Amino acid sequence: MTLHDNVRAQLRAIETVMRLHQHWQSDAPDASAFNSDQPFCMDTLAPLEWLQWVLIPRMHQLLDNGQPLPQNFAIAPYYEVALEASHPLRERVLPELLALDALFADDNA
């Protein structure tokens, strides 16, 4: 499998975890939530909302259009901080995010 195939598969795995644990939203946040100038829209979106409505679609768009993937990509460190230890999805989504990050490690990218 190519890097693109692996990234797409890992994005689907993240989505699956979120869906299985009822953290996948059917309705998008208000459009104004995406106008944030903060990293991860942290002032307007919850961490899992950003994952669902920003990262996953943008990564799929890059893949669909054959565009270059980001370099030095690491999303898991943000989620290690952003999701409190008591968050019900933390222990399930972090391994999936770490797996996505591993695809962008210097020896894989």
Side-chain angles (χ1 to χ4, degrees):
M1 287 179 70
T2 67
L3 174 61
H4 281 65
D5 293 335
N6 289 332
V7 169
R8 191 177 302 277
Q10 193 56 40
L11 292 171
R12 288 185 183 131
I14 294 165
E15 178 179 341
T16 298
V17 166
M18 291 174 67
R19 284 183 184 276
L20 285 173
H21 298 281
Q22 290 75 44
H23 281 85
W24 193 260
Q25 299 174 346
S26 57
D27 297 320
D30 187 73
S32 64
F34 299 97
N35 293 331
S36 172
D37 60 358
Q38 296 291 310
F40 306 102
C41 298
M42 63 177 44
D43 60 335
T44 57
L45 295 175
L48 294 176
E49 286 179 317
W50 184 84
L51 195 60
Q52 176 182 350
W53 298 106
V54 178
L55 178 72
I56 292 174
R58 286 188 184 171
M59 291 295 285
H60 278 298
Q61 185 178 28
L62 291 175
L63 295 166
D64 292 345
N65 295 326
Q67 294 177 309
L69 295 173
Q71 296 181 9
N72 302 320
F73 181 88
I75 193 71
Y78 168 69
Y79 282 87
E80 288 173 340
V81 173
L83 293 178
E84 295 178 11
S86 61
H87 192 285
L89 196 60
R90 188 176 200 278
E91 296 305 314
R92 290 186 165 76
V93 78
L94 279 178
E96 300 299 341
L97 296 173
L98 287 165
L100 179 63
D101 288 355
L103 296 173
F104 293 91
D106 287 338
D107 55 342
N108 289 323

